[in-house]
Amino acid sequence: MGNGEKKETPAAAEVTSFEEDPKLKEYTRSLMELRKDGVNKVLSVKQEISAVKKNKLLEPDAKQEMLTRYRQELAEAQKVAAENREEEQKLSREGVAYTNDLAKVYLKQVVAEENEKLKQNKEGYLGEIRQIKEESAAEEEKIRSSFAEKTSKADRASLKEEIQIQRYQLKSKLFDAKSKYLTAMESSRDAKNQAYVDHIHTNRNLRNGKTKFSENIILNFRNYIYRFTLSQFFLDNGLYLAIIVFFIVCIILAPLSNQGNLLSLPNIFTILEQASTRMFYALGVAGLILLAGTDLSVGRMVALGSVITGLILHPGRNIVTFFGMGPWDFTPMPMGARVIMALVLSVVLCVLFSSFAGVFTARLKMHPFISTLATQLIIYGLLFFGTSGTPVGSIDSGIKDLLGGRWILGVINGQLITFPKLIIPAVIAVIVAWFIWNKTIFGKNMYAVGGNSEAASVSGISVFKVTMGVFIMAGIFYGFGSFFEAFKANASAGTGQGYELDAIAACVVGGISFNGGIGKIGGAVIGVIIFTSLTYCLTFLGIDTNLQFVFKGFIIIAAVALDSVKYLKKK
């Protein structure tokens, strides 16, 4: 393996496996020797130092003595690693190159062997099927012959029963033969896939565990192909494929019906702007659906926060009295203070009402359907009674343009292109929700409680705290969403009507299961964009608003039906 050594290419006759190849063994042994007192020892000593620092049982003097000794060992190991680095990298490159050459021969060999096995298994299976059918036909003929001269009713019943038994035995033998054949097929597929996996893992070991982007892509692709089944693909993606087809049809029909180009940049930005506030509501509901619950109070939360925001940010004296108090004029206050006051009150009130529903669900095990329905009615009654259903009017144009307006990007093809500012807080909300769901202990506990609350409780997770946390998190998202909702239209007690159903539907379409414990934030985001795009497309094509509910209904029932099929299949 020296500098002047000629690169060897493995011969087909020599290839058995990556583990048994003698030259590859030599590369692995040499690299282990080089790393033993170098990079590998550096890693192990660092772990020891970290463990000593965290050990609270050690006396300070003993801890300092151990740290000093380990640091000396670390310095020596780093010195050895530096001395061996060039030789190690050289051997690693040679070993990977040799493994890649070996794989070209070995993988072809494995594929050829397994294909031959498949061919033999298929021939054997077809031969076994013919033999079973011939034997069964002969046995049935024998049974019929034995009853040929027997004509009584009891004899005919016995003949029918024996033939049924014979045919059941035939089905059983055919099933066993097919199962044996399918097992052999699966074994051959496993062997082919394992050969590719072994190739990648061997390269990683030669690089001391370091991965390579191109190898990861190839391995992930092969794993996808290995696990791919057409039925499962349509089960997982059938709804999305149907929606994509629908959007393609809308895009084609739009110019044909003189409605213009549906895929223009202004239309796309408008869809995203409409989806921006609804994103907050879906992110809030998603957590409750993950716990196998739901939330029917979203629409009233939207109205609550929007009315409060509209009252505080109204440019002048309000026309609305609230429970006989007012009307108020907040214009003497600085605009910054008014914005903070509106946002804080919106969030606090939404959290209070959401927590109110959460207590009954978390403590009394009341289904969220009931607790949030009650909350919805309470907020609805308070808002309508307090404001008499009167819209609070528009908010100050300056702050509306600052937070909810648009940035001018320029003119493209004669069209003025503007970017909606409301998209920015929606993106931030998605990032925050993704982080909570995927990178925190609370997020992991959400999945555990949603999947099986009893098992989660036994494992030490507080189901009450997790449930309350999800309700509070939902209230925060509703508060922010309702605050920004006031920038879109004049708020009233009727604002947000039906938003709860859209938010729930978006989550279900996005793959967040009503059975609990299954779903991702990305699914909720996709669901919101799909539903908003659906509504916009139908409106763009001039479809009656009432018919739009029909389309939504079919999508919701299809999404829940597919989710139920997956759940039953898993059970």
Side-chain angles (χ1 to χ4, degrees):
M1 296 179 200
N3 293 333
E5 192 171 328
K6 187 178 179 181
K7 181 182 174 182
E8 296 182 27
T9 302
E14 298 174 348
V15 179
T16 51
S17 72
F18 293 106
E19 292 180 355
E20 297 175 12
D21 184 80
K23 192 169 180 64
L24 195 51
K25 280 184 179 180
E26 181 61 24
Y27 275 118
T28 304
R29 187 196 64 76
S30 300
L31 285 167
M32 286 180 66
E33 284 295 321
L34 287 170
R35 292 166 178 162
K36 181 177 67 174
D37 296 324
V39 290
N40 287 351
K41 190 169 183 180
V42 168
L43 291 173
S44 64
V45 173
K46 282 183 176 179
Q47 290 173 354
E48 293 290 347
I49 290 173
S50 177
V52 169
K53 286 180 176 179
K54 293 177 181 177
N55 193 336
K56 296 180 180 179
L57 300 177
L58 289 173
E59 293 293 332
D61 292 341
K63 180 180 288 189
Q64 189 59 43
E65 182 183 346
M66 293 177 70
L67 287 175
T68 302
R69 187 175 72 252
Y70 281 133
R71 282 167 183 157
Q72 289 175 350
E73 292 180 12
L74 178 62
E76 292 173 3
Q78 287 173 334
K79 184 179 178 182
V80 173
E83 292 173 353
N84 294 340
R85 184 176 294 115
E86 187 176 344
E87 180 65 16
E88 181 199 343
Q89 290 176 349
K90 173 180 167 295
L91 278 180
S92 178
R93 285 194 299 269
E94 287 182 6
V96 170
Y98 179 81
T99 305
N100 290 338
D101 289 336
L102 181 71
K104 292 175 185 177
V105 180
Y106 178 58
L107 296 179
K108 286 182 181 178
Q109 183 176 302
V110 170
V111 170
E113 288 174 358
E114 296 304 325
N115 285 342
E116 182 61 29
K117 285 182 184 178
L118 280 174
K119 183 180 177 182
Q120 293 175 1
N121 284 326
K122 187 174 183 179
E123 291 174 353
Y125 169 65
L126 294 175
E128 187 177 1
I129 292 296
R130 283 195 299 271
Q131 183 179 350
I132 290 172
K133 287 182 177 179
E134 288 172 0
E135 290 176 354
S136 178
E139 185 65 27
E140 186 173 328
E141 184 61 31
K142 184 179 178 182
I143 292 171
R144 290 183 183 278
S145 298
S146 64
F147 281 89
E149 298 178 358
K150 300 175 181 178
T151 58
S152 67
K153 188 175 181 180
D155 290 334
R156 287 197 301 272
S158 297
L159 172 63
K160 185 177 180 181
E161 184 178 350
E162 289 202 27
I163 288 177
Q164 284 178 340
I165 293 172
Q166 175 59 28
R167 289 178 178 174
Y168 175 79
Q169 291 174 345
L170 169 63
K171 288 181 180 178
S172 180
K173 289 177 180 178
L174 291 174
F175 177 81
D176 290 342
K178 186 176 181 180
S179 298
K180 181 180 175 183
Y181 173 61
L182 291 176
T183 301
M185 284 182 63
E186 191 67 24
S187 177
S188 292
R189 288 179 67 246
D190 290 343
K192 291 178 188 178
N193 187 68
Q194 191 60 46
Y196 284 97
V197 172
D198 290 345
H199 173 209
I200 302 299
H201 285 174
T202 302
N203 281 351
R204 288 177 179 174
N205 290 335
L206 290 169
R207 290 194 294 265
N208 205 22
K210 293 178 181 177
T211 60
K212 194 175 179 182
F213 179 74
S214 59
E215 289 179 349
N216 291 339
I217 293 294
I218 293 171
L219 187 61
N220 290 336
F221 176 74
R222 290 208 60 84
N223 284 336
Y224 177 78
I225 296 298
Y226 171 65
R227 294 185 176 91
F228 178 83
T229 59
L230 195 61
S231 59
Q232 189 63 40
F233 174 78
F234 280 114
L235 187 61
D236 292 337
N237 304 290
L239 180 64
Y240 298 126
L241 293 174
I243 291 171
I244 289 170
V245 170
F246 168 79
F247 285 138
I248 291 173
V249 171
C250 289
I251 291 166
I252 294 170
L253 288 178
L256 295 178
S257 58
N258 297 320
Q259 300 296 330
N261 182 12
L262 184 58
L263 271 183
S264 65
L265 205 55
N267 286 337
I268 293 172
F269 281 149
T270 301
I271 291 171
L272 293 177
E273 183 180 35
Q274 291 179 0
S276 59
T277 52
R278 294 173 183 249
M279 197 70 72
F280 288 92
Y281 318 139
L283 295 176
V285 171
L288 292 169
I289 296 178
L290 193 70
L291 298 189
T294 188
D295 193 341
L296 297 182
S297 66
V298 178
R300 297 308 91 224
M301 297 273 194
V302 173
L304 176 64
S306 298
V307 166
I308 295 296
T309 302
L311 285 172
I312 296 173
L313 299 183
H314 187 68
R317 187 179 179 84
N318 282 287
I319 60 173
V320 176
T321 59
F322 205 61
F323 291 103
M325 296 181 291
W328 297 281
D329 184 358
F330 292 93
T331 52
M333 292 177 61
M335 180 55 73
R338 290 167 64 191
V339 170
I340 294 171
M341 179 181 176
L343 178 59
V344 170
L345 279 176
S346 177
V347 172
V348 168
L349 288 172
C350 286
V351 168
L352 284 175
F353 278 105
S354 187
S355 300
F356 173 79
V359 168
F360 289 96
T361 296
R363 184 63 69 190
L364 303 179
K365 306 302 178 185
M366 185 183 294
H367 196 282
F369 183 93
I370 301 300
S371 61
T372 58
L373 174 62
T375 307
Q376 177 203 57
L377 296 173
I378 292 169
I379 300 173
Y380 186 77
L382 288 174
L383 276 179
F384 262 99
F385 179 76
T387 64
S388 302
T390 307
V392 296
S394 63
I395 64 177
D396 187 275
S397 59
I399 194 64
K400 185 174 184 178
D401 181 65
L402 179 65
L403 297 180
R406 292 189 170 212
W407 287 302
I408 297 175
L409 300 181
V411 178
I412 300 176
N413 295 328
Q415 283 186 309
L416 180 65
I417 307 300
T418 57
F419 184 84
K421 296 178 181 179
L422 288 176
I423 294 175
I424 304 301
V427 171
I428 294 172
V430 170
I431 293 171
V432 170
W434 179 89
F435 181 82
I436 293 172
W437 280 44
N438 296 281
K439 299 298 179 181
T440 65
I441 296 173
F442 176 71
K444 292 178 175 62
N445 290 345
M446 284 169 56
Y447 280 99
V449 173
N452 190 326
S453 60
E454 293 180 2
S457 179
V458 170
S459 66
I461 298 171
S462 172
V463 177
F464 174 80
K465 289 182 179 178
V466 171
T467 305
M468 284 302 300
V470 171
F471 271 95
I472 291 170
M473 181 173 66
I476 293 171
F477 281 121
Y478 301 154
F480 275 92
S482 60
F483 169 78
F484 290 113
E485 191 72 39
F487 289 79
K488 294 173 64 178
N490 295 345
S492 70
T495 299
Q497 192 74 34
Y499 278 23
E500 62 277 357
L501 301 181
D502 284 350
I504 293 168
C507 291
V508 175
V509 169
I512 300 177
S513 176
F514 265 116
N515 296 301
I518 299 172
K520 296 179 180 179
I521 281 294
V525 174
I526 292 171
V528 171
I529 294 174
I530 285 174
F531 257 85
T532 308
S533 302
L534 173 71
T535 304
Y536 187 85
C537 288
L538 293 173
T539 305
F540 190 83
L541 292 174
I543 305 298
D544 188 276
T545 306
N546 297 312
L547 286 178
Q548 294 180 18
F549 289 108
V550 177
F551 284 96
K552 289 182 180 180
F554 276 119
I555 290 176
I556 293 169
I557 198 69
V560 177
L562 287 171
D563 179 56
S564 299
V565 170
K566 291 177 193 175
Y567 179 71
L568 292 172
K569 193 174 181 181
K570 186 175 288 186
K571 287 186 73 177

